[in-house]
Amino acid sequence: MSTIEQTVSMMQAMTEESRVKVLDYVKLIYTVDATPNPYSPLSADEILSELAIGRQQSESGMGIPFDEAMREIGSENGYI
């Protein structure tokens, strides 16, 4: 049985009052624990511009290994 099927089965067995409590709790999780997206949306032109800069930097030897870049990004954003 999948997770969704198990969840639906449990919810069907609950009283309406209990289902409302579960829904309220889930809403609380999404509003309290939600972290804002640190990245603002970019236009197509902005994306292409950043890609062009990245290609120039890579061609000039300014690139770093992927794993090092991921550690750096994770550290800067508090994931590591």
Side-chain angles (χ1 to χ4, degrees), residues 30-72:
Y30 276 99
T31 57
V32 172
D33 292 342
T35 55
N37 185 348
Y39 305 102
S40 59
L42 299 175
S43 69
D45 288 338
E46 290 170 317
I47 292 170
L48 293 174
S49 174
E50 289 191 11
L51 287 171
I53 292 169
R55 286 186 188 107
Q56 289 172 348
Q57 290 174 343
S58 179
E59 289 170 1
S60 67
M62 294 175 65
I64 61 174
F66 178 77
D67 57 339
E68 185 179 330
M70 293 309 297
R71 274 194 301 277
E72 185 178 312

Side-chain angles (χ1 to χ4, degrees), residues 3-15 19:
T3 305
I4 191 73
E5 290 170 331
Q6 291 175 9
T7 303
V8 169
S9 176
M10 287 187 296
M11 295 294 287
Q12 288 173 335
M14 292 179 173
T15 64
R19 285 193 290 265

